[in-house]
Amino acid sequence: MRKAPDGTAFRCAGPEVGPVVVMIHGLGLNQDCWQWTAPALSDRYRVLHYDLFGHGQSTPPPTTPSLSVFSDQLAALLDHCNVGSATLVGFSLGGMITRRFAQDRPDRTDALAILHSPHKRTDAAQDAILKRVEQARSEGPQATVDAALERWFTTSFRRTNPEMMDKVRGWVVANDISIYHTIYRVLADGIDEIVAPRPPITCPALVITADEDFGNGPEMTRAIAAEIAQSKAVILPGLRHMALAENPEAVNTPLRDFLDGLELTK
């Protein structure tokens, strides 16, 4: 584990001269969530993953969290690692950050892979997430984690993989109660600034979700893809939000195909 000057904890793997792929985790998690994905890429690609401010071993956010704060964190990390531009892979909140970064710094964004990430919610869905934000503010991440695990993993997988449930629960409850809800609010309120971006995102994009990811479902994935000209939407059958942990190959195969296709067109 290495640390950038701003306190961002990060790791690199893969060939020093390979194309750079940056992986950005979701709310309440940390860079360890890429342990099932990075090995499938690092034979050819220089894989860089890190902890968002307020997560894992990174320092707290330097100011009130926002998509722009996290976009700036990514830019500073690329600067520290002497990376001019990269392909960005973002999961959930991480997928929102990739879209903010692509708007802010299109010259540094080679392509996007947006995994299980939200688009504009219905009023009912927005009310539900705001209630979870308030619950996290008053009671901490442990108050919402068990319901999250139900949304994130299929019922059969939860029942037969208690060790995985303990691992992911541990990541979430390790978050600081005074910080977690402020970042949760970014997940809730940051959508409007990345929906129908102007100017539009023009880099190639892969947008993936699962048909049982009820908070970030197929309609949202297709809506995200419809706003990016060079994009492809992939819907994974029989999985939920954390497909990357429940069935890594289901995510890794289209992701690797996408990345390899980018290299072939260069």
Side-chain angles (χ1 to χ4, degrees), residues 29-151:
L29 305 177
N30 59 64
Q31 61 183 297
D32 287 346
C33 78
W34 297 114
Q35 63 188 268
W36 304 281
T37 312
L41 309 179
S42 58
D43 62 315
R44 179 173 183 177
Y45 299 95
R46 184 65 171 165
V47 177
L48 169 63
H49 46 75
Y50 66 101
D51 293 330
L52 294 171
F53 286 137
H55 293 77
Q57 297 185 47
S58 288
T59 56
T63 186
T64 303
S66 67
L67 289 179
S68 293
V69 167
F70 291 121
S71 176
D72 291 345
Q73 180 190 17
L74 174 54
L77 180 60
L78 294 181
D79 290 343
H80 176 69
C81 295
N82 297 311
V83 175
S85 65
T87 292
L88 311 179
V89 180
F91 171 70
S92 195
L93 173 61
M96 295 172 65
I97 295 166
T98 68
R99 283 175 274 164
R100 179 72 265 172
F101 188 89
Q103 292 173 236
D104 295 341
R105 298 169 175 87
D107 57 320
R108 305 193 73 175
T109 309
D110 295 334
L112 302 178
I114 303 164
L115 312 181
H116 304 267
S117 197
H119 195 264
K120 189 72 174 178
R121 301 182 184 92
T122 64
D123 289 345
Q126 185 66 12
D127 287 344
I129 194 171
L130 289 174
K131 288 178 181 176
R132 294 197 295 272
V133 171
E134 178 57 26
Q135 188 178 18
R137 185 196 66 77
S138 60
E139 303 175 45
Q142 68 274 7
T144 59
V145 66
D146 286 327
L149 292 174
E150 292 182 10
R151 295 192 306 273

Side-chain angles (χ1 to χ4, degrees), residues 9-28:
F10 69 97
R11 296 188 186 99
C12 291
E16 292 282 350
V17 296
V20 178
V21 176
V22 182
M23 314 188 86
I24 310 167
H25 65 78
L27 173 76

